[in-house]
Each structure stands twice: as structure tokens, then as C-alpha cells.
């Protein structure tokens, strides 16, 4: 049975390998108008070595409303990629989230994706920022709320006396609007009643005030008062009566963050059996011996004296109790107790203990006979660094108890960042030496990224996530981990106990044993992407039946040599790997049958972004900014002034959007549905230039360069025709004609139809010359295109009920063109002095150490006399992780 269990897990790991993503950002928070730089690491879940599975990574910036604000696609090489998001001047302030994943990762839970909260401010919206402190007084049907409010300037000084209005919003309902005026220090008190509703967690306080010529609106989320969720987790999984049980617990507030609690455990008769208090981040543990037939509950008293009751899991009369001791230096001791079993009442006749980490089994032990106590000592040298799962099975391979443990083998990389000088002058050139060694002190080759930021304005949150804490801890646990690097900060007993409390309360999320043992594996509906590709189905135009062996030709209009050919299978399906594409690439696909006819439909498939799920913290509260954060925003405003003086942008007053205009409302059907874009048009002739009653086709020669009438047929001679074999008739149009393709409102027509169009109904006539402009129409466009656009959109299409046949445009993802981080050079004197207030001094997403474990970078300092912090993160080809930093002074 032990071999069977290990074999099932090995099969799962070999056939359903999983990936992890980590993003190293240049800094922890941003302001409007800046660039968010990131370096991506894609690794195997099992050993953290660079993943060979996927070569395409999707990175998304998710706004506070859980919608995708921006999305880029990175090309991954040797597990590395890099990119950036440009934050507009008008981006709304709020807590955003970075999300990154591969197509393969979409086959598993969205919780496996990389998630990182990122605060974005917009000091360009207003000079005043509100800071609020909420106090609640419970009433019969809600709460009386008192708010101490202060308006602060970007320098964190008190704002001026300001008249403002405030409105309380609960969902779509407005509770009321009132007016107040702050005192000369920008302070005031707001009072309102907040009724009890299910939408209380969405309640907001909206402030509006006039600054200059603008009306500024700020929304503050109102915290949900005294709402604590407290859950209990018996060690091993079950609470069993008649035996001492260790129980972990976790308390979270309405935002999903840990809440410190203390209270007592009581039986159904009101007798206290244990006290408890959280240790860190709302987590802790307690122990007591439940009695058979009794129920237990926890009572917690809050600051107002109100008592809340929470129920513990019901004790089982019989079951397995697992106790794990991870405090010893050389081993992890596992004790399993069979409790409450009478003879012949289902007591396990065999027991098996399996220890695995990230899908790889490293220890197994068995007892062939049923025992009351089964003790196993697992040598710590067998554990990899990170989270391991210890599971107890019975003789049938059914899991009975489970426990997570964390073992830190202290084998991470040692990274040093050494400046070439003890101090630098403003704008002086600085050189940094990066040295990387393994735990034994030997130099290593690896891929790394480097960020250098102003340490007085860019200050990460305490114990923020990094590549080590994320890959070894957070990525393997359910739920949100607060201050993950805290658990790596010390070997002190309190830190280690807090880490073990985390193991007790937040479960493993990579797989479920019951499913694996029953051969229930994930449905792999998303493809493994080694590159971008275009897929679809070719069907008959009228009957919509799949077409077998259709020839599908793909080409890039911008680069006509990028041409690939595929063939559909028996179900009409095809897939063609995309060549390297740039932002200007326009990819067209044309399908034809074996006889060269293109009266087919090409239906393209797209990989939609994964559904965005809400993440902790839910509805984050408005908190006062720290001193460094205020300094950061002041620097951002100073940089704004520099940008404006250099002509890079102009601050506008408030723009109130009262509705969204349909961008297609006044555009013709051709502009909306034709394959070509305005930039493809060679010449355009307004309908007003044609005299009423004339034939517009006969009138084009003489009005348009390169258009001539030859033997009664229109011929476009503006460019030499490029000849391509589209699997049809040598690139010629129907019947071997050399006429251009005629379109009326984007629908295929012929010369006679075009001549019959009433000139008074024509908005304009677009001419696409032969070659690249008309190549988007495949074989039928090789002699050019005449596109007639009518004043009344859709009138012609409505009559013909036609759609384009045999051709489709690829509108899917393209790889992001990696930008180079801008660094000014001060090696030569300049007559123009432009202030340099950069907070990110230097960013390099891809540094590779040599055989000596070394790399070197150089850049110029900015104007500020400050200290800079250089942070290096990275991974080796064998999965060794590391993070290091160094400081440099500018005086």
C-alpha cells in the first residue's frame, strides 16, 4: 500500500507538473505617471528550477474593482522574462494587484497564480489627502459612527480650512449628505448613522471639496466594526474525545487580515476548559481533552465589552490523533494515536506515514499491524527547505490525518552588493559589484534582477514578500500570508512557534489525496504554450460543417515574408505557431479548400483571461501615510513639474464623465467591420467630390493617382503586385481577372454593383493599392481594393446579409516588446540643467553571474543627497534561491 500511495503521487507529479511564478518589482508602491518595472521568474513547483514547460507568461494589473486594467504577454526564455506597465497620469489611486500565470496554470486553481498587492497613489489629482479614524457606537439597528478627519498636504502638514460635503454610500444607496468646514488645521468631526445591512462591508464615505477650479472627490472605505471570523483547526484534522488535542486557531477581520483575540473555551454546561490568546497575525494554539458527548464553544470579548460566541468542531467518539513535534534540531517526530476504537469497530489494521514536499515524496514508513500508538522519527536532513506535508493513511490507502511542517535548511544563496566607493556625489557614476555564492561559499552562475531605489522615500512594508518567502512558503499555502518574511527573520522560539501556528491553520493547496487515490485528476482544458499560436475551426460557409484538409495560410501584412501554412484536421481544427510579432504586426489567416476555393469561414479561438477572484485584503481601509510615503509623493509632484516644463504633459482640471459615447456611433459599417484599418488606405476621395448622377468608378481615374481604366476595367498601378501562392489560383481573383476587389460597406461586390451606387449616398471611396496595403484580403486583394463607404451605415450590408468569407484577422496576444530602463548620462557637461528626482535610480531585470559568481553594473546617481538601497533577487539553474542587498551613499 505504501508503494501504491507513493506511485500515485509520482504519477500525478510526472503527468500534471505544476509551475510557480514570481515577480521582482523595482519598488513596492507607485504614483501616477510612473513605470512599474518587473522581472519574471517561472519555475517548477517541485524544485524551483527554471521551468521548461511554458514559454508564454501573462501578467495583469488588476484594479481595486477586480477588473483587469492592463495586460501584457511575456516571452519566457530559460525561466526568465521582463516587462513593465506604464501608469497614466489619470490612473485612480487605490490598492491594485499584480497577477501572473501561464496557460498551463489555468488548468489548476486560480489560487496557484502569482498575486501581489501594489499601492498606487495619484497626488496629481489633488494637493490634499484625507486621513480618517473611525469610532463606532452600537445602536439597536446599526451603529453611530464618529469620524476624526484631517486633510493633509503632500508634505504631511495640516491642510487649510476647507468646506466639504460628505455622503455615506451603502452599495447603491445614499444614507445622507451633509456639509462641514474643517478648522485652520484641516480637522473636523463627521457624524452619521450606519444601519445594519448585508452590504455593510461595502459602505463608503464620499468627500467632495473645491480646490482651485476643481471639485475633488475622495472615497474612504468604512471599516466593518467588531466583525471577527474565528476558526479552529484540530491538529491532524479531527477533534477526538477522550484524548488531549492540540488545536490551532485563526481570527480575521472584515478585510481578511489577522485580528488579535483572546478568550476561553467552554463546554455546553458553561464550564471553562481552556484559555487562549493569539500570538501573531490572529493565529495561535490551545489544548484540552474533550469529553465524549459534549459540545464546546469559544467566547471572545471585544474592546467594547461585547461577547461573541464561536463553535468548535464536534468531537468524534473515535479517530486518529496526530501530534507533530518540529522543535528538535535533527528530526521531526510524528506520533499517531488510535483513540476510542473498541475491538472490531473499524480500528485501522495497518498504518502508513508519507512525507512529501511539492509533489515529491522523500519519506515513507509503515506499520503492518494496527497499533494504539505509531511513532515515526523523520530525519530533518531528508526535508527540502519549505513546506512539507505529512499524511497518515490506513491499510486501504485512505487518508486519516494530515499535518504541515516547515523546515528551513538554510541553503539559500548568499548575495553581496558592493559599491566601488564609500560615498558618491550627486550625478556621479557609481559601479556595483554583485557576488553570489551558495551555502557552502562556492561561486554560482544564476539569473538575477537588480533594483536601486531611494531608501528615504521607498520603504517596503515590514517583512514584505520576496523570492525566498514566496516560493518556499506563500505559494504552497491556502489563503493570504501577512508579512511572510517575518517567518524567516529569526530562529527565536516565538518566531518558530508563530510559523508552526501558520502550518496548523493554513492548509496545503496543491492537491487533495482523496482525488489522487481515486484517479481523479485535473481536466487539462488549457494548452501548454511553448510559444504563441493561433487556433480555430474551418467550416463551410452555409452549412457550418467542419472542413477537412482545408489549407490555412497565415501571413503578417507588415512583413509579407512571415508566411506559414497549416491544414485542418477531420474536425476542421487547425493550429499554427505564430512567428515573432511586434506591436505593429497584423496577422491575417485565409482558408481555402483543396480546389483553391475560399468560400469558407475561419473561426478563430482565443484564450480568455482567467476570471479574477477577490483577494485579501478585502476593502482596504484608508490609513495615514508614513513619512517616507509623503516624501515619495512630494518627489512625484516635483517630477511632474519637471515633466511639464519639458513639455511632457499638461495637468488638466477635473473632467466629469457623464456618459460614454459609442465610438462606432457615427462610423460607417466599413470602418467597423472591414478587415483593413484606416492606416492601410492609400488614397481616399470624399463623396462630395463626385458630381450627382455620374458613375463613381469611371470617375476615379484622374482623381486618384495610379488608378486607370483599361479596356473598360479598373486597374490599380500604384505599386508592383507581390506574388504569393495562397494554395489557390496563383494569386489571381475569380476567373483570372486582374481587377481590384470591390467592397461596399465592407461587403464584397463587383464593378457593376459599385457603378450602380447613388453618388449622393457615398461618404467616401478608399483605395488600397496592390502590395502590403491590400494584402490583408489575401488572394482576392492582390490587385488592390476599392472600398465604397456609405453615409448611412449598414444599408448595403442589410440588403445583402453577407459577411467576409475565407479570411480572419488574428487579434490575440502579442509578446511585449521589452523596453530599456532609461538612465541619464552625466559624463559630459550640459548647458541645460534638468532636475533629476528619480526614486528608482537603476533597474536591470536580467543579470547573469559568471563562473566566479560575479557581475557588475554601472549608472549615474540622481540629484538627491540620500542613501540608496540595492536589492538583488534570483535563482540558479538547479533551483537555489537568493536575495541580497547593499547600501550606497550620495552626499
Amino acid at each position: 500500500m505504501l508503494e501504491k500511495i507513493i506511485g500515485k503521487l509520482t504519477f500525478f507529479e510526472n503527468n500534471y507538473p505544476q509551475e510557480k511564478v514570481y515577480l521582482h518589482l523595482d519598488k513596492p508602491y507607485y504614483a501616477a505617471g510612473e513605470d512599474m518595472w518587473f522581472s519574471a521568474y517561472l519555475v517548477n513547483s517541485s524544485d524551483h528550477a527554471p521551468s521548461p514547460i511554458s514559454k508564454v507568461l501573462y501578467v495583469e494589473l488588476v484594479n481595486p474593482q477586480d477588473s483587469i486594467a492592463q495586460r501584457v504577454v511575456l516571452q519566457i526564455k530559460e525561466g526568465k522574462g521582463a516587462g513593465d506597465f506604464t501608469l497614466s497620469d489619470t490612473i485612480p489611486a487605490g490598492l491594485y494587484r499584480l497577477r501572473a500565470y501561464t496557460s498551463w496554470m489555468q488548468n489548476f486553481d486560480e489560487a496557484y497564480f502569482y498575486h501581489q498587492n501594489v499601492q498606487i497613489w495619484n497626488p496629481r489629482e489633488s494637493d490634499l489627502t484625507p486621513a480618517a479614524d473611525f469610532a463606532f457606537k452600537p445602536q439597536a439597528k446599526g451603529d453611530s459612527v464618529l469620524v476624526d478627519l484631517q486633510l493633509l498636504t503632500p508634505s504631511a502638514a495640516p491642510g487649510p480650512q476647507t468646506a466639504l460635503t460628505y455622503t455615506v454610500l451603502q452599495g447603491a444607496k445614499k444614507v445622507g449628505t451633509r456639509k462641514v468646514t474643517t478648522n485652520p488645521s484641516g480637522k473636523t468631526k463627521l457624524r452619521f448613522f450606519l444601519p445594519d445591512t448585508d452590504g455593510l462591508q461595502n459602505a463608503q464615505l464620499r468627500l467632495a471639496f473645491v480646490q482651485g477650479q476643481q471639485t475633488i472627490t475622495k472615497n474612504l472605505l468604512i471599516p466593518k466594526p467588531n466583525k471577527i471570523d474565528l476558526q479552529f483547526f484540530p491538529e491532524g484534522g479531527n477533534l477526538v474525545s477522550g484524548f488531549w488535542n492540540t488545536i490551532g486557531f485563526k481570527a480575521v477581520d472584515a478585510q481578511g487580515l489577522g485580528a488579535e483575540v483572546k478568550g476561553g473555551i467552554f463546554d455546553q454546561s458553561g464550564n471553562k476548559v481552556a484559555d487562549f490568546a493569539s500570538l501573531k497575525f490572529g493565529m495561535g494554539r490551545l489544548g484540552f481533552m474533550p469529553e465524549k458527548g459534549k459540545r464546546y464553544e469559544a467566547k471572545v470579548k471585544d474592546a467594547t465589552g461585547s461577547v461573541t460566541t464561536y463553535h468548535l468542531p464536534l468531537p468524534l467518539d473515535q479517530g486518529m490523533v496526530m501530534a507533530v513535534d518540529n522543535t528538535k534540531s535533527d528530526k521531526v517526530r510524528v506520533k499517531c494515536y488510535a483513540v476510542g476504537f473498541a475491538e472490531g469497530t473499524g480500528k485501522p489494521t495497518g498504518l502508513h506515514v508519507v512525507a512529501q514536499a511539492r509533489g515529491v515524496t522523500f519519506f515513507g514508513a509503515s506499520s503492518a499491524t494496527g497499533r494504539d500508538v505509531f511513532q515515526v522519527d523523520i530525519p530533518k536532513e531528508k526535508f527540502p527547505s519549505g513546506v512539507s506535508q505529512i499524511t497518515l493513511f490506513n491499510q486501504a490507502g485512505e487518508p486519516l490525518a494530515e499535518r504541515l511542517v516547515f523546515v528551513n535548511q538554510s541553503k539559500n544563496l548568499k548575495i553581496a552588493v558592493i559599491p566601488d566607493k564609500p560615498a558618491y556625489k550627486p550625478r556621479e557614476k557609481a559601479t556595483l559589484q554583485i557576488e553570489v555564492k551558495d551555502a557552502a561559499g562556492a561561486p554560482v552562475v544564476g539569473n538575477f534582477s537588480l533594483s536601486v531605489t531611494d531608501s528615504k522615500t521607498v520603504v517596503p512594508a515590514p517583512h514584505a514578500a520576496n523570492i525566498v518567502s514566496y516560493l518556499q512558503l506563500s505559494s504552497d499555502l491556502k489563503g493570504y500570508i501577512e508579512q511572510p518574511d517575518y517567518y524567516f527573520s529569526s530562529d527565536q522560539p516565538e518566531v518558530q512557534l508563530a510559523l508552526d501556528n501558520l502550518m496548523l491553520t493554513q492548509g496545503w493547496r496543491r492537491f487533495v489525496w482523496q482525488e489522487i487515490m481515486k484517479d481523479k485528476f485535473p481536466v487539462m482544458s488549457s494548452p501548454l504554450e511553448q510559444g504563441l499560436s493561433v487556433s480555430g475551426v474551418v467550416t463551410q460557409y452555409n452549412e457550418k460543417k467542419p472542413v477537412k484538409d482545408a489549407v490555412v495560410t497565415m501571413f503578417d501584412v507588415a512583413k509579407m515574408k512571415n508566411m506559414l501554412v497549416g491544414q485542418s484536421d477531420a474536425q476542421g481544427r487547425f493550429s499554427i505557431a505564430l512567428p515573432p510579432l511586434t506591436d505593429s504586426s497584423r496577422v491575417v489567416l485565409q482558408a481555402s479548400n483543396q480546389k483553391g476555393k475560399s468560400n469558407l469561414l475561419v473561426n478563430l479561438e482565443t484564450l480568455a483571461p482567467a476570471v479574477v477572484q477577490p483577494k485579501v485584503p478585502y476593502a482596504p481601509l484608508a490609513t495615514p501615510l508614513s513619512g517616507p510615503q509623503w516624501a515619495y509623493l512630494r518627489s512625484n509632484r516635483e517630477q511632474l513639474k519637471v515633466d511639464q516644463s519639458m513639455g511632457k504633459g499638461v495637468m488638466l482640471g477635473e473632467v466629469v464623465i457623464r456618459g460614454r459615447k459609442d465610438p462606432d456611433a457615427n462610423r460607417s459599417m466599413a470602418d467597423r467591420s472591414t478587415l483593413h484599418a484606416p492606416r492601410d488606405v492609400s488614397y481616399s476621395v470624399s463623396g462630395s467630390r463626385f458630381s450627382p448622377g455620374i458613375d463613381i468608378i469611371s470617375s476615379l481615374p484622374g482623381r486618384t493617382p495610379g488608378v486607370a481604366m483599361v479596356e473598360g476595367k479598373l486597374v490599380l498601378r500604384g505599386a508592383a503586385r507581390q506574388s504569393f501562392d495562397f494554395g489557390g489560383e496563383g494569386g489571381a481573383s475569380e476567373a483570372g481577372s486582374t481587377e481590384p476587389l470591390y467592397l461596399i460597406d465592407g461587403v464584397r461586390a463587383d464593378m457593376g454593383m459599385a457603378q450602380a451606387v447613388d453618388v449622393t449616398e457615398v461618404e467616401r471611396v478608399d483605395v488600397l493599392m496592390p502590395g502590403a496595403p491590400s494584402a490583408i484580403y489575401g488572394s482576392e486583394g492582390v490587385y488592390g481594393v476599392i472600398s465604397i463607404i456609405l453615409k448611412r451605415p449598414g444599408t448595403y450590408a442589410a440588403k445583402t446579409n453577407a459577411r467576409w468569407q475565407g479570411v480572419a484577422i488574428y487579434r490575440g496576444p502579442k509578446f511585449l516588446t521589452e523596453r530599456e530602463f532609461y538612465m541619464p548620462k552625466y559624463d559630459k557637461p550640459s548647458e541645460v540643467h534638468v532636475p533629476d528626482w528619480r526614486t528608482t535610480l537603476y533597474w536591470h531585470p536580467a543579470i547573469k553571474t559568471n563562473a566566479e559568481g560575479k557581475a557588475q553594473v554601472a549608472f549615474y546617481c540622481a540629484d538627491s543627497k540620500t542613501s540608496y538601497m540595492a536589492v538583488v533577487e534570483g535563482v540558479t539553474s538547479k533551483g537555489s534561491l537568493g536575495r541580497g542587498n547593499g547600501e550606497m551613499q550620495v552626499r
Side-chain angles (χ1 to χ4, degrees):
M1 179 52 63
L2 182 61
E3 292 178 355
K4 180 180 179 181
I5 294 170
I6 296 174
K8 294 278 189 180
L9 182 60
T10 303
F11 177 85
F12 179 83
E13 170 61 21
N14 291 340
N15 290 274
Y16 301 91
Q18 297 186 34
E19 299 173 304
K20 294 181 180 181
V21 180
Y22 174 76
L23 299 184
H24 177 197
L25 308 185
D26 67 308
K27 52 193 172 190
Y29 43 72
Y30 298 86
E34 293 186 323
D35 291 317
M36 180 186 296
W37 301 91
F38 53 85
S39 181
Y41 295 85
L42 179 63
V43 301
N44 297 324
S45 173
S46 57
D47 59 5
H48 298 152
S51 171
I53 299 175
S54 300
K55 297 292 192 299
V56 181
L57 181 69
Y58 301 91
V59 183
E60 297 162 348
L61 182 63
V62 180
N63 65 22
Q65 290 73 44
D66 291 324
S67 297
I68 298 174
Q70 295 188 50
R71 189 178 199 235
V72 296
V73 184
L74 304 186
Q75 185 174 17
I76 299 298
K77 298 178 180 179
E78 298 180 353
K80 279 298 304 297
D84 68 282
F85 287 115
T86 298
L87 307 178
S88 71
D89 289 350
T90 57
I91 188 171
L95 186 65
Y96 287 70
R97 175 166 32 118
L98 278 176
R99 186 174 75 158
Y101 56 95
T102 65
S103 169
W104 182 254
M105 292 171 70
Q106 287 191 255
N107 293 305
F108 306 96
D109 195 294
E110 194 251 0
Y112 304 145
F113 297 179
Y114 173 83
H115 298 275
Q116 176 64 45
N117 294 326
V118 180
Q119 178 68 48
I120 298 177
W121 291 293
N122 195 338
R124 306 180 181 202
E125 292 178 332
S126 168
D127 284 326
L128 297 178
T129 298
D133 183 27
F134 293 84
F136 300 85
K137 185 176 181 181
Q139 302 292 338
K141 297 183 178 181
D143 291 280
S144 293
V145 185
L146 176 65
V147 184
D148 286 322
L149 180 74
Q150 184 175 23
L151 298 179
L152 301 173
T153 70
S155 62
Q161 190 171 31
T162 305
L164 57 84
T165 61
Y166 66 95
T167 305
V168 178
L169 306 175
Q170 283 187 283
K173 180 181 178 182
K174 292 184 178 181
V175 177
T177 300
R178 297 181 182 180
K179 296 183 179 181
V180 295
T181 301
T182 65
N183 63 20
S185 297
K187 293 183 178 180
T188 188
K189 292 183 181 294
L190 313 180
R191 293 178 174 83
F192 54 87
F193 179 75
L194 196 64
D196 283 333
T197 68
D198 292 337
L200 182 59
Q201 66 273 19
N202 297 320
Q204 298 184 53
L205 177 63
R206 175 171 294 173
L207 307 176
F209 54 90
V210 176
Q211 187 175 5
Q213 300 299 316
Q214 303 180 53
T215 299
I216 307 298
T217 301
K218 300 283 188 179
N219 284 3
L220 303 180
L221 288 152
I222 301 173
K224 194 174 183 180
N226 307 325
K227 301 294 183 181
I228 300 297
D229 179 28
L230 179 59
Q231 296 185 41
F232 294 89
F233 306 90
E235 184 175 21
N238 294 313
L239 192 63
V240 183
S241 59
F243 198 82
W244 184 268
N245 287 246
T246 297
I247 305 170
F249 65 86
K250 182 170 184 178
V252 296
D253 60 19
Q255 283 71 50
L257 301 177
E260 302 307 321
V261 294
K262 64 179 179 179
I265 305 295
F266 298 84
D267 64 17
Q268 60 200 45
S269 301
N271 300 313
K272 180 186 285 190
V273 297
D275 291 306
F276 66 91
S278 56
L279 174 66
K280 192 76 174 179
F281 308 121
M283 291 177 285
R285 68 178 64 199
L286 59 92
F288 74 101
M289 183 183 295
E291 295 183 31
K292 186 175 182 179
K294 287 191 175 182
R295 300 184 303 274
Y296 296 89
E297 60 188 19
K299 294 185 178 181
V300 177
K301 182 183 293 186
D302 61 27
T304 66
S306 176
V307 176
T308 305
T309 299
Y310 303 88
H311 296 287
L312 269 67
L314 291 174
L316 302 178
D317 291 340
Q318 62 182 30
M320 299 299 300
V321 175
M322 174 184 280
V324 175
D325 181 4
N326 189 23
T327 61
K328 303 181 185 304
S329 61
D330 60 338
K331 60 190 172 186
V332 174
R333 173 161 291 176
V334 182
K335 285 187 176 182
C336 303
Y337 302 89
V339 180
F341 293 101
E343 291 298 330
T345 58
K347 181 179 179 181
T349 58
L351 296 173
H352 310 278
V353 168
V354 173
Q356 62 86 22
R358 304 186 288 270
V360 178
T361 305
F362 59 85
F363 182 84
S366 296
S367 171
T369 59
R371 295 183 180 182
D372 290 336
V373 181
F374 180 32
Q375 177 177 309
V376 177
D377 288 340
I378 308 176
K380 279 199 171 177
E381 62 185 20
K382 292 184 174 293
F383 286 83
S385 283
V387 180
S388 294
Q389 183 183 38
I390 301 174
T391 310
L392 175 68
F393 297 88
N394 65 10
Q395 69 283 353
E398 298 170 336
L400 303 177
E402 193 166 83
R403 173 73 145 84
L404 300 185
V405 296
F406 188 94
V407 173
N408 190 346
Q409 297 288 10
S410 300
K411 292 183 178 180
N412 294 323
L413 301 175
K414 299 176 181 178
I415 303 177
V417 183
I418 307 167
D420 63 332
K421 289 185 177 182
Y424 302 90
K425 297 178 181 179
R427 303 200 174 195
E428 184 180 359
K429 186 176 183 180
T431 301
L432 298 183
Q433 182 84 16
I434 300 169
E435 296 182 358
V436 184
K437 299 178 181 179
D438 62 17
V444 294
V445 176
N447 290 309
F448 302 89
S449 46
L450 167 67
S451 173
V452 182
T453 55
D454 186 338
S455 60
K456 291 185 178 179
T457 59
V458 179
V459 179
H463 302 298
N466 55 57
I467 192 169
V468 175
S469 68
Y470 179 79
L471 292 180
Q472 290 189 357
L473 179 66
S474 304
S475 60
D476 286 326
L477 295 179
K478 288 182 179 178
Y480 179 71
I481 312 296
E482 294 181 62
Q483 300 185 27
D485 197 48
Y486 167 78
Y487 301 106
F488 297 80
S489 63
S490 169
D491 292 330
Q492 293 298 314
E494 180 177 311
V495 175
Q496 297 308 305
L497 180 57
L499 177 56
D500 203 49
N501 289 339
L502 180 68
M503 297 297 104
L504 274 174
T505 55
Q506 298 203 209
W508 178 268
R509 72 178 185 211
R510 289 284 161 183
F511 58 82
V512 178
W513 275 113
Q514 288 89 335
E515 295 178 356
I516 291 181
M517 297 305 295
K518 295 179 181 179
D519 293 332
K520 292 183 179 180
F521 300 113
V523 177
M524 312 308 284
S525 57
S526 296
L528 186 156
E529 292 185 318
Q530 287 279 306
L532 291 176
S533 62
V534 56
S535 303
V537 179
V538 179
T539 63
Q540 294 179 358
Y541 181 74
N542 294 322
E543 300 178 12
K544 306 298 190 300
K545 292 183 178 179
V547 177
K548 179 183 178 182
D549 297 332
V551 178
V552 182
T553 305
M554 180 186 71
F555 59 97
D556 185 347
V557 175
K559 297 179 180 179
M560 296 301 296
K561 293 182 180 180
N562 284 349
M563 181 177 294
L564 296 171
V565 178
Q567 194 170 33
S568 63
D569 61 17
Q571 288 74 44
R573 300 187 61 83
F574 68 90
S575 181
I576 303 176
L578 287 170
L581 302 178
T582 64
D583 294 338
S584 61
S585 298
R586 298 185 66 203
V587 175
V588 178
L589 293 99
Q590 183 181 40
S592 59
N593 59 24
Q594 291 297 310
K595 296 181 180 180
K597 300 297 183 181
S598 59
N599 57 338
L600 306 174
L601 290 182
V602 181
N603 306 282
L604 299 186
E605 300 172 342
T606 57
L607 180 66
V611 176
V612 178
Q613 303 291 344
K615 297 294 179 184
V616 174
Y618 308 117
L621 306 180
T623 56
L625 301 181
S626 66
Q629 290 170 344
W630 279 114
Y632 178 80
L633 297 184
R634 287 197 303 272
S635 175
N636 180 259
R637 292 190 66 85
E638 291 300 321
Q639 190 63 51
L640 168 65
K641 296 176 183 178
V642 173
D643 292 346
Q644 290 177 339
S645 67
M646 298 296 293
K648 294 182 180 178
V650 178
M651 277 295 290
L652 300 176
E654 181 189 36
V655 178
V656 179
I657 300 176
R658 304 188 184 279
R660 185 178 297 277
K661 181 179 179 181
D662 180 1
D664 289 330
N666 295 320
R667 298 176 64 196
S668 72
M669 180 65 70
D671 284 329
R672 282 181 276 169
S673 61
T674 55
L675 297 180
H676 67 268
R679 64 175 178 270
D680 298 319
V681 176
S682 304
Y683 305 102
S684 185
V685 183
S686 173
S688 62
R689 293 187 59 191
F690 298 101
S691 301
I694 71 167
D695 168 11
I696 60 174
I697 299 303
S698 300
S699 301
L700 279 176
R703 285 183 169 86
T704 310
V707 179
M709 188 71 72
V710 178
E711 297 180 357
K713 303 292 184 181
L714 211 60
V715 177
L716 307 187
R717 295 174 172 171
R721 179 175 69 85
Q722 301 186 49
S723 179
F724 300 100
D725 181 6
F726 288 94
E729 299 158 4
S733 23
E734 303 248 349
S737 171
T738 57
E739 283 189 277
L741 171 67
Y742 290 94
L743 300 175
I744 301 175
D745 263 0
V747 178
R748 181 194 286 107
D750 57 28
M751 181 176 175
M753 296 175 182
Q755 288 176 315
V757 172
D758 187 345
V759 174
T760 61
E761 296 180 357
V762 176
E763 177 183 320
R764 71 179 189 273
V765 179
D766 291 337
V767 179
L768 282 66
M769 284 300 179
S774 64
I776 196 168
Y777 288 96
S779 61
E780 296 186 286
V782 294
Y783 291 101
V785 178
I786 302 295
S787 176
I788 300 173
I789 300 172
L790 303 182
K791 293 178 180 178
R792 291 185 298 164
T795 53
Y796 184 81
K799 295 177 183 178
T800 60
N801 192 30
R803 65 168 284 184
W804 193 254
Q805 299 177 18
V807 176
I809 299 178
Y810 173 75
R811 306 183 188 277
K814 302 173 184 177
F815 284 130
L816 176 70
T817 302
E818 187 176 337
R819 292 195 301 149
E820 185 175 349
F821 180 78
Y822 169 72
M823 293 182 296
K825 293 183 178 180
Y826 300 125
D827 52 341
K828 297 179 182 179
S830 174
E831 297 180 358
V832 179
H833 180 82
V834 179
D836 186 351
W837 304 110
R838 289 172 296 151
T839 53
T840 298
L841 191 66
Y842 181 73
W843 167 252
H844 198 313
I847 297 174
K848 194 161 188 174
T849 53
N850 59 22
E852 297 178 348
K854 295 181 179 180
Q856 184 173 292
V857 298
F859 50 87
Y860 289 87
C861 300
D863 288 341
S864 299
K865 294 182 178 180
T866 183
S867 61
Y868 287 93
M869 180 60 68
V871 175
V872 177
E873 293 189 332
V875 61
T876 70
S877 61
K878 295 183 178 180
S880 296
L881 311 174
R883 182 182 189 274
N885 56 60
E887 193 173 34
M888 52 181 288
Q889 301 291 330
V890 179
R891 298 172 183 169

